[in-house]
């Protein structure tokens, strides 16, 4: 007769012939089932995972002191605070303020005057695109019963007033399907928002640079590269990014779409814990690790080319930085789902389409300052 487990935990009798339990212990918040496996690790974890999740536990098969052990830990979702997420709220409000402050510069108004309200469209565009991206991850995480936080916006007094937004996911990934759906949902949702924002921005009237700013010796000129996707939208609408009068500039709302597309490309880099790394891992399985060195190599090479050949220092710095970041991200490895069976053809096709859309968001020279 198998030993008994706590009332709120799975009974060893429910494991069938997959894991023959001879002892159950409770140590440091973990529930340990010592026994003999009746199948390989992947099969045992895949088949017993739903049972443990039903009781509020994550589970993994490992070795402890020379014995095979199923280690059950309370799922983070059970401990999630259901109160007001004050940290998320505070960061959201701070990012609203920072994007509004920076946006005032795009409209050439005093950020400390009532005229700052003119920058609200810019703020809504930027935060709407970034928020939609993260909410795509959040909604799909909830769909697959993966514990995830609400988005954390990151305020920063940069060119756009923010360094983006992130969500945190806890616990193991149940399947390749879940890994793909969660990974792809963010870029696809954010890209839809970026397209909508771009269309709105392109049809809005341009802004005029005040003579005092245009003629100032200390003025910094910012040149943006535009990805193929954004150029295609402008071509369909019959709109333009440059005007005969150098003091006329595209409506700042367009920059919300530009940011969304640039963020989409960066997130779809197929390495480590980035969205692209999740999608690639779900598409090709464990062989995804072979591609890890290629991404930072390509980015560093692009940065070196722009620095040495094109003399595009600002743009080169962007890719050199991301080459280093991609190297660091690759060290974290990829997510290993509990159920590692291949994706269906529909998801494979959508994965390929997602990477193609990401490529349409690529800009060799995103920004140049002069």
């Amino acid at each position: 007769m198998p030993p008994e487990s706590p009332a709120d935990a799975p009974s060893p009798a429910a494991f069938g012939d997959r894991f023959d339990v001879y002892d159950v212990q409770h140590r440091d918040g973990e529930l340990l089932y010592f026994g003999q496996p009746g199948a390989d690790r992947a099969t045992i974890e895949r088949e017993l995972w739903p049972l443990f999740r039903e009781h509020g536990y994550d589970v993994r098969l490992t070795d402890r002191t020379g014995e095979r052990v199923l280690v059950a830990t309370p799922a983070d979702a059970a401990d999630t605070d259901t109160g007001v997420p004050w940290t998320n709220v505070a960061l959201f409000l701070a990012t609203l303020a920072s994007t509004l402050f920076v946006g005032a510069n795009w409209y050439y108004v005093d950020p400390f005057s009532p005229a700052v309200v003119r920058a609200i469209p810019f703020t809504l565009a930027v935060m709407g695109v970034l928020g939609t991206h993260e909410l795509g991850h959040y909604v799909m995480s909830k769909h697959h019963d993966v514990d995830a936080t609400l988005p954390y916006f990151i305020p920063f007094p940069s060119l756009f007033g923010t360094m983006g937004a992130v969500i945190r996911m806890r616990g193991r990934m149940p399947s390749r399907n879940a890994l793909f759906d969660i990974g792809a949902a963010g870029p696809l949702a954010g890209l839809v928002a970026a397209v909508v924002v771009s269309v709105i921005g392109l049809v809005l009237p341009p802004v005029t640079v005040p003579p005092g700013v245009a003629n100032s010796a200390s003025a910094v000129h910012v040149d943006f590269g535009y990805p193929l996707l954004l150029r295609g939208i402008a071509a369909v609408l019959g709109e333009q990014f440059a005007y005969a009068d150098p003091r006329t500039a595209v409506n700042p709302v367009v920059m919300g779409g530009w940011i969304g597309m640039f963020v989409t490309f960066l997130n779809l880099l197929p390495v480590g814990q980035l969205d692209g790394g999740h999608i690639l891992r779900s598409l090709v399985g464990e062989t995804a690790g072979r591609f890890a060195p290629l991404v930072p190599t390509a980015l560093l090479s692009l940065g070196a080319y722009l620095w040495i050949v094109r003399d595009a220092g600002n743009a080169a710095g962007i890719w050199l930085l991301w080459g280093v970041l991609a190297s660091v991200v690759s060290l974290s490895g990829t997510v290993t789902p509990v159920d590692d069976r291949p994706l269906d053809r529909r998801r494979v096709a959508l994965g390929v389409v997602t990477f193609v859309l990401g490529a349409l968001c690529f800009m060799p020279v995103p920004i140049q300052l002069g």
Side-chain angles (χ1 to χ4, degrees), residues 35-47:
Q36 295 295 329
D40 61 89
R41 180 187 62 80
T43 300
I44 292 173
E45 289 186 349
R46 182 178 68 244
E47 295 188 4

Side-chain angles (χ1 to χ4, degrees), residues 88 130 134 137 149-154 163-168:
N88 302 77
L130 297 176
E134 297 305 329
H137 290 313
T149 66
L150 288 168
Y152 292 91
F153 283 87
I154 306 172
M163 291 186 68
V166 296
I167 66 169
R168 290 193 301 120

Side-chain angles (χ1 to χ4, degrees), residues 208-234:
T208 301
V209 182
V213 174
N215 300 327
S216 173
S218 61
V220 177
H221 183 70
V222 183
D223 274 329
F224 287 93
Y226 295 102
L228 286 176
L229 181 58
L230 190 52
R231 291 180 181 274
I233 295 171

Side-chain angles (χ1 to χ4, degrees), residues 40-78:
D40 61 89
R41 180 187 62 80
T43 300
I44 292 173
E45 289 186 349
R46 182 178 68 244
E47 295 188 4
L48 297 185
W49 172 268
L51 174 65
F52 278 89
R53 287 295 290 178
E54 181 181 340
H55 286 78
Y57 287 87
D58 285 330
V59 67
R60 67 184 187 278
L61 178 61
T62 186
D63 290 301
R64 294 278 180 94
T65 62
E67 299 175 279
R68 300 293 280 168
V69 187
L70 278 174
V71 180
T73 54
D76 290 322

